[in-house]
Amino acid sequence: MNNQNMKTIFSGIQPSGDLTIGNYFGAIKNWLKLKDEYNCFFCIVDLHAITVKQEPKKLREKILEVLAIYLACGIDPNKSNLFIQSHVSTHAELSWILNCYTYMGELSRMTQYKEKSLKVGESIPVGLFTYPILMASDILLYNTDLVPVGSDQKQHLELARDIAERFNSLYSETFKIPEPYIVQNSSRIMSLQNPLKKMSKSDENENSYLKIMDDENSIKRKISRSITDSMGVISYNDDQPGIKNLINILISITGETPKEVEERFEGKGYGELKKELTSLLIDELSPIQKQVNEFMKNKDYLEEVYTKGKETAYIVSNKILRKVKRKIGFI
Ligand code: TYM
């Protein structure tokens, strides 16, 4: 599953909570568009997840659930490499090495670090600070061409490119410089309660995010309570961020343009938009949920998938790691 003639994509999701439709529309749906044209490495980034506190039992369950979600969304483990980050030791190893080629100033400029460190209070784990270096290592270990992510990861990806370029200019061409793959309308799904804030699985307010695994009633409730405005016109613009967000979610399913949605809903009320969106979301998510539940009952199969994924991932990534070590002067 590593065809030399094809380009490579790498992406990952943290098993740090329940995945949201932000993860689905911003990342997984785009993986599906690319999966047949590329060598694919889709990782469950558990080493990233422990940069904030995790409960062991829950973490164990979530790691498997993320794998089950990848499979249920249609990623074929015979064509794509699905693996768990902590199973492939090259990631942590390269991460240490790249720590020595990354500057404190660069890391302190990371928006996500600034936001997350505010939330954890005074004792900020060092891992939260160096997190983008681990992400750079993930990507650079596979000669990755393209990284499909939501727009919140753009800054991290730019750092990965900077680190790679720096290493290449110090030691000659070693890493491939990866490109982001970010799809505009779905790249930043916003909170249903505060459409100026990104939808996030770590939000305290459960009504602000829709989980991939939310049941019909929760979907109905959360969409009907989502914050809109008092303008009463279904129009795609920045003065109506709530409506804009709902349209973005809708077109991530239907493939329409914002203009087509505006035209279709001309003269109609917010209730109608919410009703259609609710039913589209239920149709989109319920087959996935059924499959996830099936996969979760078959832990042996999940183990088979992640074991196979780990083997290929190790072989491919160790080639790059050995090259890195040689160039640095390790024996
Ligand atoms: P994470 O786990 O926060 O999110 C996983 C993916 O989902 C996207 N995403 C969103 N997209 C649109 N709207 C949203 N509200 C939304 N919320 C999340 C993210 O952009 C991401 O693509 N550091 C990464 C994980 C990672 C990674 C990597 C990604 C580790 N190593 C290597 C790519 C390549 C993260 O925390 O994603």
Side-chain angles (χ1 to χ4, degrees), residues 14-16 45-55 59 85 95 112-113 116-117 119-121 123-135 156 201:
Q14 295 190 62
S16 52
V45 292
D46 54 350
L47 295 173
H48 277 103
I50 60 162
T51 53
V52 297
K53 217 171 183 175
Q54 302 293 337
E55 210 250 296
L59 180 60
Q85 188 185 32
S95 188
Q112 198 167 76
Y113 166 71
K116 285 196 175 177
S117 57
K119 279 195 200 157
V120 297
S123 306
I124 303 165
V126 176
L128 204 55
F129 188 62
T130 55
Y131 170 119
I133 306 178
L134 178 59
M135 176 162 163
H156 291 159
K201 55 189 173 241

PDB file of all heavy atoms in Angstrom, residues 14-16 45-55 59 85 95 112-113 116-117 119-121 123-135 156 201:
ATOM      1  N   GLN A  14      -7.105  13.743  16.586  1.00  0.00           N
ATOM      2  CA  GLN A  14      -6.837  13.392  17.981  1.00  0.00           C
ATOM      3  C   GLN A  14      -8.024  12.635  18.583  1.00  0.00           C
ATOM      4  O   GLN A  14      -9.157  13.084  18.452  1.00  0.00           O
ATOM      5  CB  GLN A  14      -6.685  14.659  18.811  1.00  0.00           C
ATOM      6  CG  GLN A  14      -5.503  15.489  18.455  1.00  0.00           C
ATOM      7  CD  GLN A  14      -5.323  16.579  19.492  1.00  0.00           C
ATOM      8  OE1 GLN A  14      -5.099  16.310  20.670  1.00  0.00           O
ATOM      9  NE2 GLN A  14      -5.426  17.809  19.061  1.00  0.00           N
ATOM     10  N   PRO A  15      -7.744  11.551  19.287  1.00  0.00           N
ATOM     11  CA  PRO A  15      -8.837  10.821  19.947  1.00  0.00           C
ATOM     12  C   PRO A  15      -9.123  11.420  21.319  1.00  0.00           C
ATOM     13  O   PRO A  15      -9.171  10.714  22.323  1.00  0.00           O
ATOM     14  CB  PRO A  15      -8.258   9.409  20.066  1.00  0.00           C
ATOM     15  CG  PRO A  15      -6.784   9.633  20.212  1.00  0.00           C
ATOM     16  CD  PRO A  15      -6.445  10.869  19.439  1.00  0.00           C
ATOM     17  N   SER A  16      -9.292  12.739  21.341  1.00  0.00           N
ATOM     18  CA  SER A  16      -9.349  13.411  22.643  1.00  0.00           C
ATOM     19  C   SER A  16     -10.762  13.725  23.091  1.00  0.00           C
ATOM     20  O   SER A  16     -10.985  14.496  23.993  1.00  0.00           O
ATOM     21  CB  SER A  16      -8.526  14.697  22.581  1.00  0.00           C
ATOM     22  OG  SER A  16      -8.943  15.451  21.481  1.00  0.00           O
ATOM     23  N   VAL A  45      -3.955  10.234  16.262  1.00  0.00           N
ATOM     24  CA  VAL A  45      -2.791  10.849  16.901  1.00  0.00           C
ATOM     25  C   VAL A  45      -2.955  10.886  18.431  1.00  0.00           C
ATOM     26  O   VAL A  45      -3.218  11.923  19.031  1.00  0.00           O
ATOM     27  CB  VAL A  45      -2.456  12.234  16.291  1.00  0.00           C
ATOM     28  CG1 VAL A  45      -1.971  12.077  14.854  1.00  0.00           C
ATOM     29  CG2 VAL A  45      -3.633  13.190  16.305  1.00  0.00           C
ATOM     30  N   ASP A  46      -2.725   9.728  19.024  1.00  0.00           N
ATOM     31  CA  ASP A  46      -2.885   9.616  20.478  1.00  0.00           C
ATOM     32  C   ASP A  46      -1.788  10.336  21.253  1.00  0.00           C
ATOM     33  O   ASP A  46      -2.013  10.830  22.357  1.00  0.00           O
ATOM     34  CB  ASP A  46      -3.000   8.135  20.905  1.00  0.00           C
ATOM     35  CG  ASP A  46      -1.861   7.262  20.421  1.00  0.00           C
ATOM     36  OD1 ASP A  46      -1.047   7.730  19.590  1.00  0.00           O
ATOM     37  OD2 ASP A  46      -1.769   6.103  20.868  1.00  0.00           O
ATOM     38  N   LEU A  47      -0.583  10.446  20.654  1.00  0.00           N
ATOM     39  CA  LEU A  47       0.488  11.176  21.358  1.00  0.00           C
ATOM     40  C   LEU A  47       0.115  12.661  21.467  1.00  0.00           C
ATOM     41  O   LEU A  47       0.437  13.321  22.455  1.00  0.00           O
ATOM     42  CB  LEU A  47       1.824  11.039  20.612  1.00  0.00           C
ATOM     43  CG  LEU A  47       2.445   9.644  20.517  1.00  0.00           C
ATOM     44  CD1 LEU A  47       3.665   9.668  19.613  1.00  0.00           C
ATOM     45  CD2 LEU A  47       2.833   9.137  21.903  1.00  0.00           C
ATOM     46  N   HIS A  48      -0.570  13.143  20.442  1.00  0.00           N
ATOM     47  CA  HIS A  48      -1.040  14.531  20.525  1.00  0.00           C
ATOM     48  C   HIS A  48      -2.118  14.689  21.591  1.00  0.00           C
ATOM     49  O   HIS A  48      -2.188  15.708  22.269  1.00  0.00           O
ATOM     50  CB  HIS A  48      -1.595  14.994  19.173  1.00  0.00           C
ATOM     51  CG  HIS A  48      -0.548  15.466  18.226  1.00  0.00           C
ATOM     52  ND1 HIS A  48      -0.084  14.713  17.176  1.00  0.00           N
ATOM     53  CD2 HIS A  48       0.148  16.620  18.182  1.00  0.00           C
ATOM     54  CE1 HIS A  48       0.841  15.389  16.520  1.00  0.00           C
ATOM     55  NE2 HIS A  48       1.000  16.551  17.116  1.00  0.00           N
ATOM     56  N   ALA A  49      -2.962  13.665  21.713  1.00  0.00           N
ATOM     57  CA  ALA A  49      -4.100  13.781  22.636  1.00  0.00           C
ATOM     58  C   ALA A  49      -3.652  13.975  24.083  1.00  0.00           C
ATOM     59  O   ALA A  49      -4.318  14.655  24.855  1.00  0.00           O
ATOM     60  CB  ALA A  49      -4.994  12.553  22.519  1.00  0.00           C
ATOM     61  N   ILE A  50      -2.494  13.390  24.454  1.00  0.00           N
ATOM     62  CA  ILE A  50      -2.090  13.504  25.862  1.00  0.00           C
ATOM     63  C   ILE A  50      -1.426  14.842  26.211  1.00  0.00           C
ATOM     64  O   ILE A  50      -0.955  15.022  27.326  1.00  0.00           O
ATOM     65  CB  ILE A  50      -1.196  12.327  26.326  1.00  0.00           C
ATOM     66  CG1 ILE A  50       0.091  12.241  25.514  1.00  0.00           C
ATOM     67  CG2 ILE A  50      -1.965  11.010  26.279  1.00  0.00           C
ATOM     68  CD1 ILE A  50       1.177  11.405  26.187  1.00  0.00           C
ATOM     69  N   THR A  51      -1.425  15.773  25.247  1.00  0.00           N
ATOM     70  CA  THR A  51      -0.933  17.115  25.601  1.00  0.00           C
ATOM     71  C   THR A  51      -1.935  17.815  26.526  1.00  0.00           C
ATOM     72  O   THR A  51      -1.606  18.812  27.149  1.00  0.00           O
ATOM     73  CB  THR A  51      -0.683  17.987  24.347  1.00  0.00           C
ATOM     74  OG1 THR A  51      -1.870  17.991  23.560  1.00  0.00           O
ATOM     75  CG2 THR A  51       0.468  17.446  23.527  1.00  0.00           C
ATOM     76  N   VAL A  52      -3.148  17.306  26.564  1.00  0.00           N
ATOM     77  CA  VAL A  52      -4.090  17.725  27.620  1.00  0.00           C
ATOM     78  C   VAL A  52      -4.523  16.473  28.380  1.00  0.00           C
ATOM     79  O   VAL A  52      -4.376  15.355  27.881  1.00  0.00           O
ATOM     80  CB  VAL A  52      -5.323  18.513  27.087  1.00  0.00           C
ATOM     81  CG1 VAL A  52      -4.918  19.824  26.441  1.00  0.00           C
ATOM     82  CG2 VAL A  52      -6.105  17.677  26.101  1.00  0.00           C
ATOM     83  N   LYS A  53      -5.039  16.668  29.570  1.00  0.00           N
ATOM     84  CA  LYS A  53      -5.338  15.536  30.450  1.00  0.00           C
ATOM     85  C   LYS A  53      -6.346  14.559  29.822  1.00  0.00           C
ATOM     86  O   LYS A  53      -7.370  14.989  29.282  1.00  0.00           O
ATOM     87  CB  LYS A  53      -5.935  16.092  31.742  1.00  0.00           C
ATOM     88  CG  LYS A  53      -5.499  15.328  32.944  1.00  0.00           C
ATOM     89  CD  LYS A  53      -5.947  16.063  34.168  1.00  0.00           C
ATOM     90  CE  LYS A  53      -5.467  15.374  35.416  1.00  0.00           C
ATOM     91  NZ  LYS A  53      -5.800  16.146  36.587  1.00  0.00           N
ATOM     92  N   GLN A  54      -6.052  13.270  29.881  1.00  0.00           N
ATOM     93  CA  GLN A  54      -6.986  12.254  29.372  1.00  0.00           C
ATOM     94  C   GLN A  54      -7.200  11.188  30.431  1.00  0.00           C
ATOM     95  O   GLN A  54      -6.278  10.830  31.155  1.00  0.00           O
ATOM     96  CB  GLN A  54      -6.416  11.561  28.118  1.00  0.00           C
ATOM     97  CG  GLN A  54      -6.083  12.468  26.966  1.00  0.00           C
ATOM     98  CD  GLN A  54      -7.300  13.127  26.338  1.00  0.00           C
ATOM     99  OE1 GLN A  54      -8.425  12.649  26.443  1.00  0.00           O
ATOM    100  NE2 GLN A  54      -7.075  14.264  25.699  1.00  0.00           N
ATOM    101  N   GLU A  55      -8.413  10.678  30.448  1.00  0.00           N
ATOM    102  CA  GLU A  55      -8.712   9.581  31.362  1.00  0.00           C
ATOM    103  C   GLU A  55      -8.396   8.272  30.631  1.00  0.00           C
ATOM    104  O   GLU A  55      -8.909   8.038  29.527  1.00  0.00           O
ATOM    105  CB  GLU A  55     -10.210   9.675  31.704  1.00  0.00           C
ATOM    106  CG  GLU A  55     -10.547   9.161  33.076  1.00  0.00           C
ATOM    107  CD  GLU A  55     -11.320   7.870  32.942  1.00  0.00           C
ATOM    108  OE1 GLU A  55     -12.430   7.908  32.393  1.00  0.00           O
ATOM    109  OE2 GLU A  55     -10.777   6.833  33.382  1.00  0.00           O
ATOM    110  N   LEU A  59      -9.703   7.207  26.946  1.00  0.00           N
ATOM    111  CA  LEU A  59      -8.772   7.363  25.826  1.00  0.00           C
ATOM    112  C   LEU A  59      -8.703   6.071  25.006  1.00  0.00           C
ATOM    113  O   LEU A  59      -8.788   6.082  23.780  1.00  0.00           O
ATOM    114  CB  LEU A  59      -7.379   7.757  26.339  1.00  0.00           C
ATOM    115  CG  LEU A  59      -6.306   7.965  25.263  1.00  0.00           C
ATOM    116  CD1 LEU A  59      -6.686   9.075  24.281  1.00  0.00           C
ATOM    117  CD2 LEU A  59      -4.947   8.285  25.888  1.00  0.00           C
ATOM    118  N   GLN A  85      -0.675   6.458  16.179  1.00  0.00           N
ATOM    119  CA  GLN A  85       0.614   7.172  16.227  1.00  0.00           C
ATOM    120  C   GLN A  85       1.595   6.563  17.234  1.00  0.00           C
ATOM    121  O   GLN A  85       2.768   6.357  16.920  1.00  0.00           O
ATOM    122  CB  GLN A  85       0.312   8.631  16.586  1.00  0.00           C
ATOM    123  CG  GLN A  85       1.457   9.603  16.504  1.00  0.00           C
ATOM    124  CD  GLN A  85       1.000  10.970  17.007  1.00  0.00           C
ATOM    125  OE1 GLN A  85       0.141  11.060  17.900  1.00  0.00           O
ATOM    126  NE2 GLN A  85       1.550  12.028  16.452  1.00  0.00           N
ATOM    127  N   SER A  95      10.484  13.572  16.276  1.00  0.00           N
ATOM    128  CA  SER A  95      10.024  14.751  16.985  1.00  0.00           C
ATOM    129  C   SER A  95      11.134  15.307  17.887  1.00  0.00           C
ATOM    130  O   SER A  95      11.353  16.516  17.947  1.00  0.00           O
ATOM    131  CB  SER A  95       8.788  14.380  17.788  1.00  0.00           C
ATOM    132  OG  SER A  95       8.224  15.508  18.339  1.00  0.00           O
ATOM    133  N   GLN A 112      -2.994  28.189  18.260  1.00  0.00           N
ATOM    134  CA  GLN A 112      -3.627  27.126  19.031  1.00  0.00           C
ATOM    135  C   GLN A 112      -2.960  26.958  20.399  1.00  0.00           C
ATOM    136  O   GLN A 112      -3.637  26.710  21.388  1.00  0.00           O
ATOM    137  CB  GLN A 112      -3.583  25.817  18.247  1.00  0.00           C
ATOM    138  CG  GLN A 112      -4.561  24.822  18.781  1.00  0.00           C
ATOM    139  CD  GLN A 112      -4.761  23.637  17.839  1.00  0.00           C
ATOM    140  OE1 GLN A 112      -3.934  22.749  17.747  1.00  0.00           O
ATOM    141  NE2 GLN A 112      -5.856  23.651  17.119  1.00  0.00           N
ATOM    142  N   TYR A 113      -1.639  27.115  20.430  1.00  0.00           N
ATOM    143  CA  TYR A 113      -0.935  27.034  21.714  1.00  0.00           C
ATOM    144  C   TYR A 113      -1.416  28.141  22.646  1.00  0.00           C
ATOM    145  O   TYR A 113      -1.696  27.904  23.828  1.00  0.00           O
ATOM    146  CB  TYR A 113       0.585  27.120  21.503  1.00  0.00           C
ATOM    147  CG  TYR A 113       1.323  27.373  22.796  1.00  0.00           C
ATOM    148  CD1 TYR A 113       1.413  26.379  23.764  1.00  0.00           C
ATOM    149  CD2 TYR A 113       1.883  28.618  23.073  1.00  0.00           C
ATOM    150  CE1 TYR A 113       2.031  26.612  24.983  1.00  0.00           C
ATOM    151  CE2 TYR A 113       2.512  28.862  24.287  1.00  0.00           C
ATOM    152  CZ  TYR A 113       2.579  27.859  25.231  1.00  0.00           C
ATOM    153  OH  TYR A 113       3.186  28.090  26.431  1.00  0.00           O
ATOM    154  N   LYS A 116      -5.000  27.208  23.821  1.00  0.00           N
ATOM    155  CA  LYS A 116      -5.092  26.038  24.699  1.00  0.00           C
ATOM    156  C   LYS A 116      -4.375  26.267  26.017  1.00  0.00           C
ATOM    157  O   LYS A 116      -4.809  25.792  27.058  1.00  0.00           O
ATOM    158  CB  LYS A 116      -4.513  24.797  24.005  1.00  0.00           C
ATOM    159  CG  LYS A 116      -5.429  24.238  22.939  1.00  0.00           C
ATOM    160  CD  LYS A 116      -5.025  22.823  22.569  1.00  0.00           C
ATOM    161  CE  LYS A 116      -6.003  22.210  21.584  1.00  0.00           C
ATOM    162  NZ  LYS A 116      -5.613  20.882  21.151  1.00  0.00           N
ATOM    163  N   SER A 117      -3.254  27.003  25.997  1.00  0.00           N
ATOM    164  CA  SER A 117      -2.515  27.197  27.234  1.00  0.00           C
ATOM    165  C   SER A 117      -3.300  28.097  28.197  1.00  0.00           C
ATOM    166  O   SER A 117      -3.191  27.966  29.408  1.00  0.00           O
ATOM    167  CB  SER A 117      -1.113  27.740  26.961  1.00  0.00           C
ATOM    168  OG  SER A 117      -1.200  28.937  26.247  1.00  0.00           O
ATOM    169  N   LYS A 119      -6.444  27.904  28.590  1.00  0.00           N
ATOM    170  CA  LYS A 119      -7.457  27.041  29.205  1.00  0.00           C
ATOM    171  C   LYS A 119      -6.902  26.172  30.323  1.00  0.00           C
ATOM    172  O   LYS A 119      -7.622  25.812  31.240  1.00  0.00           O
ATOM    173  CB  LYS A 119      -8.063  26.112  28.143  1.00  0.00           C
ATOM    174  CG  LYS A 119      -9.135  26.757  27.309  1.00  0.00           C
ATOM    175  CD  LYS A 119      -9.910  25.683  26.555  1.00  0.00           C
ATOM    176  CE  LYS A 119     -10.629  26.282  25.366  1.00  0.00           C
ATOM    177  NZ  LYS A 119     -10.930  25.307  24.336  1.00  0.00           N
ATOM    178  N   VAL A 120      -5.605  25.782  30.236  1.00  0.00           N
ATOM    179  CA  VAL A 120      -5.096  24.835  31.228  1.00  0.00           C
ATOM    180  C   VAL A 120      -4.564  25.499  32.501  1.00  0.00           C
ATOM    181  O   VAL A 120      -4.158  24.816  33.426  1.00  0.00           O
ATOM    182  CB  VAL A 120      -4.024  23.864  30.661  1.00  0.00           C
ATOM    183  CG1 VAL A 120      -4.584  22.978  29.587  1.00  0.00           C
ATOM    184  CG2 VAL A 120      -2.792  24.599  30.173  1.00  0.00           C
ATOM    185  N   GLY A 121      -4.545  26.808  32.542  1.00  0.00           N
ATOM    186  CA  GLY A 121      -4.129  27.503  33.761  1.00  0.00           C
ATOM    187  C   GLY A 121      -2.622  27.674  33.855  1.00  0.00           C
ATOM    188  O   GLY A 121      -1.946  27.801  32.828  1.00  0.00           O
ATOM    189  N   SER A 123      -0.006  25.639  35.115  1.00  0.00           N
ATOM    190  CA  SER A 123       0.963  24.596  34.787  1.00  0.00           C
ATOM    191  C   SER A 123       0.729  24.082  33.372  1.00  0.00           C
ATOM    192  O   SER A 123      -0.075  23.195  33.146  1.00  0.00           O
ATOM    193  CB  SER A 123       0.830  23.429  35.756  1.00  0.00           C
ATOM    194  OG  SER A 123       0.925  23.921  37.070  1.00  0.00           O
ATOM    195  N   ILE A 124       1.442  24.702  32.455  1.00  0.00           N
ATOM    196  CA  ILE A 124       1.253  24.346  31.044  1.00  0.00           C
ATOM    197  C   ILE A 124       2.229  23.219  30.682  1.00  0.00           C
ATOM    198  O   ILE A 124       3.436  23.384  30.812  1.00  0.00           O
ATOM    199  CB  ILE A 124       1.525  25.569  30.135  1.00  0.00           C
ATOM    200  CG1 ILE A 124       0.603  26.735  30.544  1.00  0.00           C
ATOM    201  CG2 ILE A 124       1.349  25.214  28.677  1.00  0.00           C
ATOM    202  CD1 ILE A 124       1.024  28.069  29.988  1.00  0.00           C
ATOM    203  N   PRO A 125       1.720  22.063  30.242  1.00  0.00           N
ATOM    204  CA  PRO A 125       2.631  20.981  29.874  1.00  0.00           C
ATOM    205  C   PRO A 125       3.507  21.404  28.685  1.00  0.00           C
ATOM    206  O   PRO A 125       3.021  22.065  27.766  1.00  0.00           O
ATOM    207  CB  PRO A 125       1.696  19.845  29.445  1.00  0.00           C
ATOM    208  CG  PRO A 125       0.346  20.219  29.907  1.00  0.00           C
ATOM    209  CD  PRO A 125       0.313  21.703  30.030  1.00  0.00           C
ATOM    210  N   VAL A 126       4.778  21.013  28.731  1.00  0.00           N
ATOM    211  CA  VAL A 126       5.701  21.361  27.642  1.00  0.00           C
ATOM    212  C   VAL A 126       5.188  20.783  26.320  1.00  0.00           C
ATOM    213  O   VAL A 126       5.358  21.370  25.253  1.00  0.00           O
ATOM    214  CB  VAL A 126       7.121  20.834  27.962  1.00  0.00           C
ATOM    215  CG1 VAL A 126       8.075  21.100  26.806  1.00  0.00           C
ATOM    216  CG2 VAL A 126       7.650  21.473  29.236  1.00  0.00           C
ATOM    217  N   GLY A 127       4.532  19.623  26.411  1.00  0.00           N
ATOM    218  CA  GLY A 127       4.004  18.973  25.209  1.00  0.00           C
ATOM    219  C   GLY A 127       3.020  19.835  24.434  1.00  0.00           C
ATOM    220  O   GLY A 127       2.935  19.749  23.210  1.00  0.00           O
ATOM    221  N   LEU A 128       2.308  20.675  25.146  1.00  0.00           N
ATOM    222  CA  LEU A 128       1.351  21.558  24.479  1.00  0.00           C
ATOM    223  C   LEU A 128       2.099  22.583  23.618  1.00  0.00           C
ATOM    224  O   LEU A 128       1.632  22.992  22.559  1.00  0.00           O
ATOM    225  CB  LEU A 128       0.518  22.274  25.552  1.00  0.00           C
ATOM    226  CG  LEU A 128      -0.857  22.780  25.161  1.00  0.00           C
ATOM    227  CD1 LEU A 128      -1.715  21.681  24.578  1.00  0.00           C
ATOM    228  CD2 LEU A 128      -1.552  23.378  26.382  1.00  0.00           C
ATOM    229  N   PHE A 129       3.272  22.939  24.095  1.00  0.00           N
ATOM    230  CA  PHE A 129       4.102  23.921  23.400  1.00  0.00           C
ATOM    231  C   PHE A 129       4.791  23.297  22.172  1.00  0.00           C
ATOM    232  O   PHE A 129       4.830  23.876  21.097  1.00  0.00           O
ATOM    233  CB  PHE A 129       5.144  24.447  24.399  1.00  0.00           C
ATOM    234  CG  PHE A 129       5.964  25.599  23.897  1.00  0.00           C
ATOM    235  CD1 PHE A 129       5.369  26.809  23.568  1.00  0.00           C
ATOM    236  CD2 PHE A 129       7.341  25.477  23.775  1.00  0.00           C
ATOM    237  CE1 PHE A 129       6.130  27.874  23.120  1.00  0.00           C
ATOM    238  CE2 PHE A 129       8.113  26.544  23.324  1.00  0.00           C
ATOM    239  CZ  PHE A 129       7.510  27.747  22.994  1.00  0.00           C
ATOM    240  N   THR A 130       5.298  22.061  22.358  1.00  0.00           N
ATOM    241  CA  THR A 130       6.084  21.433  21.283  1.00  0.00           C
ATOM    242  C   THR A 130       5.217  20.585  20.335  1.00  0.00           C
ATOM    243  O   THR A 130       5.720  20.017  19.377  1.00  0.00           O
ATOM    244  CB  THR A 130       7.203  20.545  21.871  1.00  0.00           C
ATOM    245  OG1 THR A 130       6.593  19.604  22.765  1.00  0.00           O
ATOM    246  CG2 THR A 130       8.229  21.347  22.624  1.00  0.00           C
ATOM    247  N   TYR A 131       3.930  20.544  20.615  1.00  0.00           N
ATOM    248  CA  TYR A 131       2.955  19.796  19.826  1.00  0.00           C
ATOM    249  C   TYR A 131       3.114  19.964  18.297  1.00  0.00           C
ATOM    250  O   TYR A 131       3.108  18.975  17.560  1.00  0.00           O
ATOM    251  CB  TYR A 131       1.602  20.298  20.331  1.00  0.00           C
ATOM    252  CG  TYR A 131       0.341  19.960  19.649  1.00  0.00           C
ATOM    253  CD1 TYR A 131      -0.657  19.250  20.321  1.00  0.00           C
ATOM    254  CD2 TYR A 131       0.073  20.398  18.357  1.00  0.00           C
ATOM    255  CE1 TYR A 131      -1.864  18.982  19.719  1.00  0.00           C
ATOM    256  CE2 TYR A 131      -1.131  20.125  17.758  1.00  0.00           C
ATOM    257  CZ  TYR A 131      -2.093  19.418  18.431  1.00  0.00           C
ATOM    258  OH  TYR A 131      -3.286  19.146  17.831  1.00  0.00           O
ATOM    259  N   PRO A 132       3.317  21.210  17.792  1.00  0.00           N
ATOM    260  CA  PRO A 132       3.447  21.342  16.329  1.00  0.00           C
ATOM    261  C   PRO A 132       4.683  20.628  15.768  1.00  0.00           C
ATOM    262  O   PRO A 132       4.698  20.290  14.587  1.00  0.00           O
ATOM    263  CB  PRO A 132       3.571  22.856  16.114  1.00  0.00           C
ATOM    264  CG  PRO A 132       3.056  23.481  17.357  1.00  0.00           C
ATOM    265  CD  PRO A 132       3.347  22.531  18.472  1.00  0.00           C
ATOM    266  N   ILE A 133       5.692  20.390  16.602  1.00  0.00           N
ATOM    267  CA  ILE A 133       6.884  19.686  16.103  1.00  0.00           C
ATOM    268  C   ILE A 133       6.551  18.215  15.876  1.00  0.00           C
ATOM    269  O   ILE A 133       6.997  17.595  14.909  1.00  0.00           O
ATOM    270  CB  ILE A 133       8.062  19.806  17.102  1.00  0.00           C
ATOM    271  CG1 ILE A 133       8.329  21.283  17.420  1.00  0.00           C
ATOM    272  CG2 ILE A 133       9.304  19.127  16.548  1.00  0.00           C
ATOM    273  CD1 ILE A 133       9.431  21.510  18.432  1.00  0.00           C
ATOM    274  N   LEU A 134       5.741  17.660  16.773  1.00  0.00           N
ATOM    275  CA  LEU A 134       5.295  16.273  16.587  1.00  0.00           C
ATOM    276  C   LEU A 134       4.439  16.176  15.324  1.00  0.00           C
ATOM    277  O   LEU A 134       4.560  15.232  14.543  1.00  0.00           O
ATOM    278  CB  LEU A 134       4.520  15.813  17.826  1.00  0.00           C
ATOM    279  CG  LEU A 134       3.933  14.402  17.800  1.00  0.00           C
ATOM    280  CD1 LEU A 134       5.013  13.337  17.606  1.00  0.00           C
ATOM    281  CD2 LEU A 134       3.167  14.119  19.105  1.00  0.00           C
ATOM    282  N   MET A 135       3.614  17.183  15.105  1.00  0.00           N
ATOM    283  CA  MET A 135       2.769  17.180  13.903  1.00  0.00           C
ATOM    284  C   MET A 135       3.648  17.280  12.640  1.00  0.00           C
ATOM    285  O   MET A 135       3.402  16.600  11.642  1.00  0.00           O
ATOM    286  CB  MET A 135       1.761  18.322  13.979  1.00  0.00           C
ATOM    287  CG  MET A 135       0.912  18.443  12.748  1.00  0.00           C
ATOM    288  SD  MET A 135      -0.572  19.424  13.066  1.00  0.00           S
ATOM    289  CE  MET A 135      -1.036  19.810  11.385  1.00  0.00           C
ATOM    290  N   HIS A 156       0.129  25.389  11.697  1.00  0.00           N
ATOM    291  CA  HIS A 156       1.002  24.267  12.052  1.00  0.00           C
ATOM    292  C   HIS A 156       1.692  23.696  10.810  1.00  0.00           C
ATOM    293  O   HIS A 156       2.853  23.294  10.859  1.00  0.00           O
ATOM    294  CB  HIS A 156       0.207  23.151  12.737  1.00  0.00           C
ATOM    295  CG  HIS A 156      -0.278  23.521  14.099  1.00  0.00           C
ATOM    296  ND1 HIS A 156      -1.315  22.891  14.727  1.00  0.00           N
ATOM    297  CD2 HIS A 156       0.141  24.472  14.970  1.00  0.00           C
ATOM    298  CE1 HIS A 156      -1.518  23.426  15.919  1.00  0.00           C
ATOM    299  NE2 HIS A 156      -0.654  24.394  16.080  1.00  0.00           N
ATOM    300  N   LYS A 201     -14.582  19.863  19.793  1.00  0.00           N
ATOM    301  CA  LYS A 201     -15.028  18.766  20.654  1.00  0.00           C
ATOM    302  C   LYS A 201     -14.715  19.022  22.118  1.00  0.00           C
ATOM    303  O   LYS A 201     -15.227  18.335  22.998  1.00  0.00           O
ATOM    304  CB  LYS A 201     -14.427  17.434  20.188  1.00  0.00           C
ATOM    305  CG  LYS A 201     -12.916  17.400  20.070  1.00  0.00           C
ATOM    306  CD  LYS A 201     -12.454  16.108  19.396  1.00  0.00           C
ATOM    307  CE  LYS A 201     -10.964  16.105  19.104  1.00  0.00           C
ATOM    308  NZ  LYS A 201     -10.573  15.995  17.730  1.00  0.00           N
TER     309      LYS A 201
END
